[in-house]
Amino acid sequence: MSDLPEYNFAYLDEQTKRMIRRAILKAIAIPGYQTPFASREMPMPYGWGTGGVQVTAAILGVDDVLKVIDQGSDDTTNAVSIRKFFARTAGVRTTTRTPDATIIQTRHRIPEAALGEHQVLVYQVPIPEPLRFLEPRETETRRMHALQDYGVMHVKLYEDIAEHGHIATAYAYPVKVDDRYVMDPSPTPKFDNPKMDQCPALQLFGAGREKRIYAIPPYTRVVSLDFEDHPFERTRIPASCSLCNSTTVFLDEVVTDDQGGRAFMCSDTDFCEQTRSSTGAKS
Amino acid sequence: MANVDAFANSFLNPVSGAQSTFRSAMNALAYPAQPRALSSDLNPCGPMASGALALLLTLADQETPIWLAPSLAASETLKNFIAFHCGARVVDDPALAVFAFLASPLELAPLARFAQGDPDYPDRSATVIVQVEAFDDHAWRFFGPGLPSPRSFGVSPAPKEFVEMWTANQAGFPLGVDVIFVCGSQIAALPRSLRISEI
Amino acid sequence: MYVAVKGGEQAIDNAHLLLARDRRGNPAIPELSIDQIREQMTLAIARVMAEGSLYEPDLAALAVKQARGDLIEAIFLLRAFRTTLPRFGDCVPMETDGMSIRRRISAVFKDLPGGQILGPTFDYTHRLLDPELAIADDARPCPVVLNEGAEPVAAPHILQILDREGLVEAPLNGADAGVEEDLTRTPLDFPACRELRLQALARGDEGFLLALGYSTQRGYGRTHPFAGEIRIGEVELSFAPPELGFDVPLGAVTITECEMVNQFRGSETQAPKFTRGYGCVFGQSERKAMSMALVDRALRANELGESSGVPAQDEEFVLSHCDNVQATGFVEHLKLPHYVDFQAELALLRQLREDWSARRANKQSADNGAAEKQEEAAK
């Protein structure tokens, strides 16, 4: 039998980290541009956060405090699994408290609490190309970005308005970064889009299967695509959290019975806990 | 210090040394035009200072051709260090380099001699790492991604006509080069996305 | 509820325990050994090594055991291990001419130098379940093979014979091409060179390539293929450290190589010649090597000026979707919670429905109003 394998700090070997780090620096220098990188096979399946995990592994140090969320929650199975992976391979401290984390890896949400300069938000991205569903060919979409030819996207959004009276995109709502690249924010609900604009924290996006890394530097203009007569609107669910009573946050709908009964609660579980402990609301 | 054996000169802990150097560089690009700490336990190697050497070990390897300004390329000690510690190929043509190392900002011009990337792949461009004698905050004014409000920043010795040079670099965006300045135990960077104006 | 607000950690631990229990199956039945899997499930091992891109029969056997026989899962295990291995350099391009042959056939000549060697093949078996095999019997004598131990014969590649007459295009020569790019070390961009395409196909999913190859036979990009030669056997690999100046043998690997002879083509300046498609995989896997050769040839449609837009000719389509580790990950990631996006869609859908009802109600009242007016007027 061959020797049993040994793994480096944060799993990736140093050469792989260098390669990812170089891509991250380029991504920061060209906001919103999808930088190709030689994504590795990770010990979790493609589509389950391999891009985010590689970015986190490349930036993580012994002094970092890591938070991992999926759907806004620290306790969803995939968040638990990724947090455990780093606790095991890097021995770093982990937290569920948003303000205490120096690196937050996320799938599908941006935390409700405002982020600061000491933090990096790492997004897991399934399909990094915002134009992919309008043009399946990479050679074509790359050209469109090079020429800033985003006509197909505007046509698509306008067709939505013609058919439905609204832009019928509820998540992965495209944005323009620093007035240059149209970017996919990953499948976050469009409710979260405004949080990306002028955010003090660095935002890094990793797509493992598609082998792309991109970034929004801190304090960068991020604008959700819209039209003058149909401005971008943040979705709001007309309800309040049944646990902490918050009304200004993204709420999950929980089906309580098979008679149409339902309740709402914060998708960001840490925010909900903090609000409850500070207001003394029922728990 | 200059006589320290080049072969023994490496990070005390290669994994955490590279990680902390990288984070400094990452933050320098993310929060540009402002000096921040860069800790390096390396000894200088020939004409290359400790901080630039740390960036070299952190970012370059056999996959990244590098170019050395003539003042650095003259050092056999440095070339031996590069061959032994990072395996990067030293190239004569600056346009082929992924990283270019300069001993002084006076060697920056012309920036167009470094790889600029191509419109489909602007990332295929050079990062220029420059040793400077000092940072100051009254030379140039920058604004753009990473800065909540315009910020003053400068280096010395200051290259002549830097504003024109950087304006041209920025005008080609997304093509262009990114510049990282190293001064003692400090680092500051100018990503190509940054706009400049005279103070 | 699988996305419990709390307790995800315990649920995962428990799932791992259940998996381990089911992997073991009935404890009254003896546990499989790695040796048994490696020796008796050789074609499963071959596939795992080929698509896992790592020639290591013991680890492949371990992966098959750990994956409960799910070969894509086993391929994934091997890949995730492979990616962590240090690279010392490239081996000397292997010479399949010098293969010690176990099987070698050609469909284009009745007989040929070196002969037709059937070797261990299912080809002429009758697919009847064999009741004798149903009983594991350690005393069963090992089959004695006729003519075993005969001197190995020199077997030149059959396409060389055609090449000598100028009847077929020259082969792609890896050594000349100086393949520097490694698909696993640099992200693929399009258009890709043929060497990179072959790298992708060699680790591509057997089923996907089989279906694509089949589609070219049914008219979706026909290439008139003939199985010029299929050979299976062991090939020596060596490494040439620059500081030594000579080759150091590394050992032998079993491979299957397929050279297809396809549709001829000529031009004003070139006399017509047959074209080629090439397939080569670790282990014994003719289905994969043949499919690969068909797809390789189909992907040359642009180069050969015969592109008609069918799937097998579409490089971006084929190369972006042939990797089963990527594909299975992304298909199966739909199992992960998506309730935030679903919530956002629900809210949008409810809003669209409200708007729709309001528009309809408006229209109806407008219509009713108009009808009433008409009635008034009629009175």
Side-chain angles (χ1 to χ4, degrees):
Chain A
M1 243 0 272
S2 313
D3 291 338
L4 287 175
E6 273 179 45
Y7 297 108
N8 192 20
F9 175 82
Y11 178 77
L12 296 177
D13 58 284
E14 289 301 298
Q15 195 186 338
T16 297
K17 286 185 195 168
R18 274 195 297 277
M19 175 273 297
I20 297 171
R21 286 167 180 167
R22 291 193 290 260
I24 291 172
L25 297 188
K26 282 287 186 285
I28 294 170
I30 315 170
Y33 164 73
Q34 300 163 49
T35 308
F37 80 113
S39 175
R40 304 293 196 240
E41 272 104 359
M42 298 298 288
M44 63 266 299
Y46 284 115
W48 297 54
T50 57
V53 167
Q54 287 181 81
V55 169
T56 298
I59 66 176
L60 191 69
V62 282
D63 298 329
D64 276 309
V65 181
L66 179 69
K67 171 181 167 82
V68 184
I69 50 172
D70 186 338
Q71 314 295 298
S73 162
D74 298 272
D75 266 299
T76 38
T77 41
N78 202 41
V80 169
S81 163
I82 291 172
R83 190 165 59 237
K84 261 184 146 177
F85 174 74
F86 283 114
R88 183 179 308 145
T89 58
V92 293
R93 280 189 295 146
T94 60
T95 184
T96 58
R97 291 277 290 115
T98 301
D100 295 346
T102 56
I103 297 175
I104 302 170
Q105 180 169 327
T106 180
R107 178 169 171 266
H108 295 193
R109 273 314 309 276
I110 300 175
E112 304 290 359
L115 302 178
E117 289 194 3
H118 64 294
Q119 296 177 306
V120 182
L121 185 58
V122 178
Y123 296 74
Q124 301 173 199
V125 182
I127 304 275
E129 178 50 73
L131 308 169
R132 183 60 69 235
F133 300 111
L134 308 169
E135 168 52 62
R137 266 166 220 287
E138 172 71 8
T139 38
E140 294 293 324
T141 52
R142 222 152 242 278
R143 225 60 280 277
M144 291 177 184
H145 285 293
L147 300 170
Q148 252 189 297
D149 173 8
Y150 296 126
V152 285
M153 181 62 90
H154 288 104
V155 168
K156 189 260 168 196
L157 296 179
Y158 210 84
E159 281 173 358
D160 274 5
I161 293 171
E163 186 179 345
H164 304 290
H166 293 274
I167 293 176
T169 300
Y171 61 92
Y173 189 105
V175 295
K176 200 165 201 184
V177 181
D178 194 36
D179 208 27
R180 175 58 181 82
Y181 282 100
V182 166
M183 189 197 90
D184 181 283
S186 88
T188 48
K190 75 175 188 177
F191 176 88
D192 283 341
N193 273 22
K195 296 177 192 166
M196 293 188 288
D197 182 40
Q198 298 295 335
C199 175
L202 171 63
Q203 300 170 76
L204 298 174
F205 298 77
R209 196 177 35 76
E210 300 280 338
K211 303 180 166 58
R212 298 288 183 270
I213 287 173
Y214 52 102
I216 303 173
Y219 305 113
T220 296
R221 209 164 113 81
V222 179
V223 178
S224 302
L225 299 186
D226 62 359
F227 297 95
E228 250 173 45
D229 50 344
H230 282 91
F232 173 82
E233 276 174 18
R234 202 176 189 182
T235 326
R236 186 144 296 153
I237 296 154
S240 61
C241 172
S242 55
L243 298 176
C244 75
N245 302 322
S246 293
T247 54
T248 57
V249 297
F250 193 84
L251 299 172
D252 292 336
E253 181 175 328
V254 181
V255 177
T256 51
D257 55 40
D258 58 3
Q259 306 300 311
R262 50 184 204 254
F264 289 90
M265 50 188 73
C266 291
S267 136
D268 183 333
T269 49
D270 176 60
F271 179 87
C272 193
E273 273 171 38
Q274 297 313 317
T275 309
R276 272 180 281 156
S277 65
S278 65
T279 61
K282 60 185 171 159
S283 67
Chain B
M1 287 293 268
N3 291 330
V4 171
D5 184 4
F7 295 103
N9 189 13
S10 63
F11 288 123
L12 283 178
N13 179 335
V15 172
S16 62
Q19 190 273 338
S20 82
T21 306
F22 166 71
R23 279 290 274 275
S24 296
M26 181 182 93
N27 285 326
L29 275 158
Y31 301 91
Q34 42 196 314
R36 58 181 53 240
L38 171 70
S39 70
S40 164
D41 52 27
L42 297 168
N43 296 303
C45 176
M48 192 177 278
S50 164
L53 212 56
L55 287 170
L56 173 80
L57 283 189
T58 298
L59 297 174
D61 57 29
Q62 54 272 30
E63 291 176 3
T64 59
I66 64 178
W67 183 82
L68 301 173
S71 55
L72 298 172
S75 165
E76 283 305 313
T77 315
L78 178 59
K79 284 187 174 166
N80 288 336
F81 178 91
I82 292 170
F84 184 78
H85 284 287
C86 82
R89 208 153 40 91
V90 176
V91 292
D92 293 330
D93 181 355
L96 298 178
V98 171
F99 294 103
F101 286 84
L102 314 181
S104 158
L106 302 179
E107 297 169 321
L108 272 169
L111 284 177
R113 71 191 189 281
F114 302 112
Q116 306 284 307
D118 66 64
D120 284 3
Y121 295 95
D123 58 297
R124 295 177 181 171
S125 49
T127 302
V128 183
I129 295 164
V130 193
Q131 296 175 195
V132 304
E133 284 167 22
F135 291 129
D136 60 55
D137 60 1
H138 50 264
W140 314 302
R141 204 160 173 75
F142 291 97
F143 52 99
L147 296 176
S149 55
R151 183 173 183 94
S152 303
F153 170 77
V155 298
S156 66
K160 266 188 274 176
E161 292 168 350
F162 182 78
V163 173
E164 289 74 11
M165 190 170 27
W166 193 259
T167 304
N169 187 54
Q170 214 287 317
F173 187 88
L175 307 189
V177 301
D178 310 307
V179 178
I180 299 177
F181 296 109
V182 188
C183 171
S185 57
Q186 288 203 299
I187 181 171
L190 301 178
R192 68 191 73 179
S193 55
L194 221 53
R195 276 83 82 175
I196 191 172
S197 69
E198 208 104 39
I199 286 190
Chain C
M1 207 156 97
Y2 81 128
V3 217
V5 176
K6 288 278 174 198
E9 199 144 344
Q10 207 194 339
I12 291 175
D13 288 344
N14 237 343
H16 292 173
L17 291 174
L18 285 166
L19 175 66
R21 194 187 67 188
D22 283 6
R23 178 190 296 123
R24 179 60 185 88
N26 181 351
I29 307 288
E31 184 176 341
L32 272 174
S33 74
I34 299 301
D35 292 342
Q36 285 174 322
I37 298 170
R38 187 194 58 232
E39 293 302 317
Q40 296 172 42
M41 293 285 133
T42 41
L43 300 186
I45 300 301
R47 179 168 179 201
V48 170
M49 294 195 303
E51 292 169 36
S53 296
L54 184 72
Y55 197 93
E56 226 299 8
D58 281 332
L59 289 183
L62 171 59
V64 170
K65 178 175 178 176
Q66 189 176 330
R68 302 172 61 191
D70 177 340
L71 296 191
I72 292 183
E73 180 69 23
I75 289 160
F76 181 17
L77 284 167
L78 210 58
R79 289 259 197 104
F81 173 67
R82 175 196 197 267
T83 197
T84 66
L85 299 175
R87 310 291 159 101
F88 299 112
D90 297 329
C91 71
V92 179
M94 80 188 168
E95 277 299 343
T96 52
D97 268 343
M99 174 187 279
S100 85
I101 282 176
R102 280 204 271 150
R103 166 165 165 80
R104 184 264 201 143
I105 54 158
S106 169
V108 297
F109 292 111
K110 184 175 184 196
D111 201 6
L112 47 137
Q116 305 265 20
I117 300 164
L118 281 186
T121 177
F122 291 120
D123 283 356
Y124 303 102
T125 61
H126 295 138
R127 269 62 167 201
L128 303 169
L129 286 171
D130 181 355
E132 272 191 38
L133 274 182
I135 304 148
D137 178 5
D138 288 341
R140 199 197 319 275
C142 190
V144 178
V145 177
L146 312 173
N147 299 332
E148 181 98 300
E151 273 300 294
V153 286
H157 278 96
I158 287 147
L159 268 67
Q160 279 171 9
I161 298 166
L162 292 169
D163 193 15
R164 220 165 284 143
E165 279 187 71
L167 292 171
V168 67
E169 62 178 348
L172 177 76
N173 191 328
D176 293 347
V179 189
E180 280 177 5
E181 275 183 278
D182 175 346
L183 182 73
T184 67
R185 297 277 129 167
T186 32
L188 190 62
D189 66 56
F190 300 109
C193 62
R194 189 171 169 207
E195 290 86 346
L196 274 176
R197 291 200 302 252
L198 288 169
Q199 285 180 32
L201 298 181
R203 59 183 359 222
D205 182 73
E206 181 177 309
F208 180 74
L209 296 187
L210 175 66
L212 279 175
Y214 176 46
S215 74
T216 67
Q217 289 180 287
R218 290 195 64 263
Y220 289 81
R222 192 168 177 213
T223 61
H224 301 268
F226 294 94
E229 179 173 347
I230 296 162
R231 51 171 64 198
I232 302 172
E234 281 64 47
V235 183
E236 294 284 339
L237 286 183
S238 57
F239 181 62
E243 60 272 24
L244 288 187
F246 55 86
D247 294 358
V248 179
L250 299 174
V253 296
T254 303
I255 61 154
T256 303
E257 186 185 45
C258 171
E259 289 190 289
M260 288 284 179
V261 183
N262 301 75
Q263 172 92 46
F264 52 79
R265 162 159 205 285
S267 67
E268 290 274 308
T269 53
Q270 281 219 313
K273 285 176 180 209
F274 286 119
T275 55
R276 296 171 183 251
Y278 186 72
C280 183
V281 292
F282 281 150
Q284 175 172 358
S285 180
E286 281 165 54
R287 186 186 302 123
K288 169 73 186 280
M290 294 174 77
S291 304
M292 177 177 169
L294 290 175
V295 176
D296 168 49
R297 177 60 183 78
L299 287 174
R300 297 178 60 205
N302 263 340
E303 169 203 339
L304 298 171
E306 58 189 24
S307 185
S308 61
V310 300
Q313 295 175 345
D314 187 331
E315 175 182 279
E316 277 205 44
F317 179 80
V318 174
L319 300 191
S320 303
H321 302 110
C322 67
D323 190 301
N324 54 27
V325 178
Q326 290 176 4
T328 196
F330 201 47
V331 166
E332 296 197 45
H333 108 286
L334 291 172
K335 292 183 282 193
L336 289 178
H338 283 77
Y339 59 78
V340 162
D341 290 347
F342 188 72
Q343 185 64 49
E345 288 268 89
L346 261 184
L348 176 65
L349 187 62
R350 284 183 182 134
Q351 189 188 356
L352 294 179
R353 288 171 62 90
E354 270 171 36
D355 293 355
W356 182 85
S357 303
R359 277 202 306 272
R360 205 176 150 91
N362 276 344
K363 187 167 179 293
Q364 243 161 21
S365 66
D367 288 352
N368 289 346
E372 273 167 34
K373 266 187 199 152
Q374 269 182 355
E375 261 172 54
E376 289 285 314
K379 281 180 191 170

